[in-house]
Amino acid sequence: MSKKQTFEEAFKRLEEIAALLDSGETPLEESMKLYEEGMKLIKICSEKLEQAEQKIRKLSEKADGSFEETDFEPLPE
Amino acid sequence: MDQRIYSVTELTREIKELLERSFPRLWVEGEISNFKRHSSGHLYFTLKDANSQISCAMWRFRAGSLRFHPEHGMKVLVEGDIQVYERGGNYQLIVAQIQPAGGVGALQLAFEQLKKKLHAEGLFDEAHKQPLPPYPARIGVITSPTGAAIRDIISVLRRRAPGVELLIYPVRVQGEEAAEEIAAAIDSFNRYGKVDVLIIGRGGGSLEDLWAFNEEMVARAIYRSRIPIISAVGHEVDYSIADFVADYRAATPSAAAEVAVRDQAELKGQLAYYRERLQKSLLNRIEGYRNTLESIRSSYAFRRPQDQIFQSLQQLDELQRRLTRSMSHRIAINTGQLETLRKQLLAMNPRAILNRGYSITYKNGQVVKDAALLARDDQVKVVLAKGSFQANVNAIGDDNE
């Protein structure tokens, strides 16, 4: 699943929510909903950033045209 | 007559032996004219200077190693052997190799020629370049599995964005087959999908070492790639054709990794900023409602502690305290409490109060809260839920009379 969508859209939405809340034009009920949505987005993004282990794999193409991913170890020079 | 009489064949034979013996492998400088590439692959041209010319032929198997395209008018250095053709009674220079004359190397010339050609075709156009994705989840890397390039890329990405996945397609980055492997790797990734951006490159080296990244097939593979490509070939000063076609040129492999991802620390900082901002905003909204409630309270003289409004104010104060604390301790606010508050506020809004039968009395534009301030025959204006009327004060009374 692409993390790209979550981050790019999340930050865009967070900016929208912040602007709406700042404007003071939304009624209290909607403000609360927006606030909750914003906090949830922040939580999801933070969790994704907490990942510390980097995954490195190698892509190979087989004779029949299919692909497979295997572990990669950089060889010494 | 004692003159030796030659046959034509004998004479030609001796000329052939003499010439071919006297002029073994040699270098000749001249200008190309009448250049022709035969369908067979053999090259034919005339090499000339101001006063003379000589016919040349380069056979296909040798012509194949030419990196640049010889052209009419080009000044060149030609290495070859003289060959005499008995049948035709003429001689030719059989070419082993051609170098551009005047200091520019063959590779450099080939580079300039290809650059010009591809530029004219539009392969370097800015409009065609794709923007790099701001938050890639997976990065594809096409480079040698040994060498400093891959290690630099891995170490930079590990520092900046450990959450981003790397998918590596090892290739040769110099030599005969390198260009084909690199182009094939780019096409493979495009068929596979599942990566958001590609980094292609290698460490430093001579023009010969980097040559694969100046080949036309690599340039075209980059151009047709639907995945954005960052090229990082050689050192700071090296510019390759791949660099011109790529969507982004990085000076080194490390620089490529830096530009491919946002620094994780920076992202965390942005999230913290939004958290603060949202909490402040909501606090401000609540502050705003608090002020409204306060003014309602003073307008309508609701002073008794049992009143809902007094309670609402207390709850609001409590909520505010908790939110202020939560900004340093990160506790989520109890939205259930806000919901109750919301309902109460809706009930408390001026219109709702009027709708329940209450009215507002004005004397001289000022709200009247105390009957003691009125006198008999004062003119007052009374605002109802719907409409208003003028009234004349008849009599003053106490509370609830």
Side-chain angles (χ1 to χ4, degrees):
Chain A
M1 189 58 239
S2 176
K3 191 171 40 159
K4 160 178 81 160
Q5 286 172 317
T6 312
F7 264 103
E8 205 164 350
E9 289 172 1
F11 273 109
K12 218 186 289 179
R13 183 63 184 147
L14 277 172
E15 186 54 49
E16 274 172 15
I17 290 175
L20 279 169
L21 284 180
D22 283 346
S23 75
E25 280 163 28
T26 49
L28 189 58
E29 174 171 15
E30 202 185 320
S31 300
M32 275 161 39
K33 286 209 192 108
L34 286 172
Y35 177 84
E36 274 175 47
E37 186 190 341
M39 285 300 156
K40 203 184 326 176
L41 274 176
I42 291 172
K43 181 159 181 276
I44 293 173
C45 289
S46 296
E47 277 165 8
K48 286 209 181 310
L49 288 179
E50 284 317 310
Q51 224 179 314
E53 175 101 22
Q54 180 144 60
K55 265 215 304 196
I56 305 178
R57 319 211 76 202
K58 181 172 102 162
L59 182 67
S60 335
E61 191 167 358
K62 301 205 277 221
D64 62 0
S66 66
F67 293 95
E68 76 173 333
E69 292 184 27
T70 51
D71 286 328
F72 175 82
E73 278 300 322
L75 305 170
E77 202 158 349
Chain B
M1 192 169 34
D2 275 324
Q3 278 282 52
R4 162 132 187 230
I5 297 174
Y6 288 86
S7 71
V8 176
T9 299
E10 283 170 341
L11 176 59
T12 308
R13 173 79 40 82
E14 285 199 24
I15 290 173
K16 179 180 168 77
E17 276 166 24
L18 180 63
L19 278 185
E20 289 180 5
R21 194 178 354 113
S22 307
F23 298 106
R25 185 60 60 97
L26 44 73
W27 281 93
V28 186
E29 182 177 354
E31 184 182 309
I32 295 178
S33 83
N34 302 324
F35 182 86
K36 209 174 312 188
R37 184 183 293 268
H38 203 253
S39 55
S40 57
H42 304 316
L43 307 182
Y44 299 96
F45 58 96
T46 306
L47 199 61
K48 68 178 183 121
D49 61 18
N51 302 309
S52 308
Q53 68 178 38
I54 182 168
S55 283
C56 301
M58 189 176 199
W59 307 134
R60 188 178 73 176
F61 78 96
R62 289 221 179 94
S65 63
L66 270 178
R67 297 289 179 85
F68 66 96
H69 296 290
E71 286 166 3
H72 180 90
M74 216 181 247
K75 296 213 168 48
V76 292
L77 290 167
V78 171
E79 188 192 22
D81 315 281
I82 297 292
Q83 204 149 95
V84 172
Y85 289 97
E86 293 150 287
R87 277 263 129 200
N90 54 39
Y91 62 93
Q92 234 179 356
L93 181 60
I94 304 302
V95 177
Q97 63 162 307
I98 311 178
Q99 296 276 347
V104 177
L107 282 185
Q108 186 63 31
L109 181 59
F111 177 84
E112 295 298 330
Q113 284 180 327
L114 185 60
K115 182 176 166 190
K116 198 162 159 205
K117 169 178 161 185
L118 296 182
H119 184 70
E121 274 187 53
L123 263 69
F124 304 163
D125 288 352
E126 279 303 317
H128 180 82
K129 295 195 193 298
Q130 307 176 68
L132 301 183
Y135 307 103
R138 300 186 97 203
I139 299 180
V141 182
I142 299 174
T143 190
S144 163
T146 66
I150 187 62
R151 282 201 296 273
D152 287 348
I153 291 173
I154 289 176
S155 93
V156 169
L157 287 177
R158 200 163 259 158
R159 172 176 45 86
R160 270 171 89 76
V164 169
E165 289 174 25
L166 282 188
L167 195 54
I168 298 168
Y169 193 121
V171 292
R172 268 181 269 234
V173 290
Q174 65 185 68
E176 285 288 312
E177 301 93 354
E180 203 175 316
E181 285 186 20
I182 295 166
I186 295 172
D187 287 337
S188 283
F189 268 116
N190 272 273
R191 263 177 291 123
Y192 187 57
K194 301 196 196 172
V195 290
D196 304 308
V197 68
L198 286 177
I199 298 177
I200 74 173
R202 55 155 288 151
S206 66
L207 185 53
E208 180 87 42
D209 293 335
L210 307 180
W211 192 254
F213 291 90
N214 289 322
E215 296 261 19
E216 187 167 347
M217 73 174 87
V218 170
R220 295 204 185 273
I222 295 173
Y223 187 75
R224 64 174 172 259
S225 171
R226 283 179 317 277
I227 305 172
I229 294 183
I230 302 170
S231 81
V233 181
H235 292 133
E236 187 81 44
V237 297
D238 299 314
Y239 270 84
S240 61
I241 302 269
D243 288 333
F244 293 125
V245 187
D247 300 293
Y248 190 93
R249 184 239 175 202
T252 62
S254 298
E258 301 256 345
V259 85
V261 293
R262 298 267 152 90
D263 194 342
Q264 211 98 294
E266 188 190 311
L267 288 182
K268 286 185 185 164
Q270 263 196 294
L271 286 176
Y273 157 77
Y274 278 118
R275 186 181 282 121
E276 283 255 344
R277 191 170 159 194
L278 292 194
Q279 284 173 336
K280 275 216 182 83
S281 267
L282 202 63
L283 251 186
N284 284 343
R285 301 304 309 284
I286 291 174
E287 182 71 35
Y289 276 98
R290 190 185 181 286
N291 292 337
T292 309
L293 271 181
E294 193 58 59
S295 57
I296 291 171
R297 186 167 83 112
S298 44
S299 302
Y300 292 96
F302 289 126
R303 299 223 154 89
R304 300 173 309 180
Q306 294 89 332
D307 278 333
Q308 284 179 305
I309 288 187
F310 194 82
Q311 275 175 23
S312 300
L313 272 172
Q314 284 199 301
Q315 280 181 307
L316 258 182
D317 282 340
E318 175 57 30
L319 234 69
Q320 246 180 311
R321 260 196 299 278
R322 288 176 63 177
L323 254 187
T324 312
R325 252 186 292 135
S326 90
M327 294 214 300
S328 31
H329 296 292
R330 293 172 190 199
I331 303 166
I333 63 171
N334 182 348
T335 52
Q337 285 192 313
L338 268 184
E339 181 59 35
T340 313
L341 192 54
R342 179 196 69 87
K343 291 204 172 86
Q344 288 172 340
L345 282 173
L346 282 177
M348 288 303 122
N349 95 57
R351 186 112 307 262
I353 292 167
L354 287 179
N355 283 340
R356 280 199 252 117
Y358 291 101
S359 59
I360 311 174
T361 304
Y362 293 91
K363 175 181 163 179
N364 298 329
Q366 299 274 67
V367 171
V368 180
K369 295 185 253 189
D370 189 349
L373 299 174
L374 292 173
R376 265 193 77 164
D377 289 328
D378 270 349
Q379 295 290 328
V380 293
K381 175 174 167 179
V382 182
V383 173
L384 305 176
K386 207 166 169 195
S388 62
F389 63 89
Q390 306 275 35
N392 210 314
V393 176
N394 288 333
I396 317 284
D398 294 323
D399 273 338
N400 303 316
E401 199 174 339

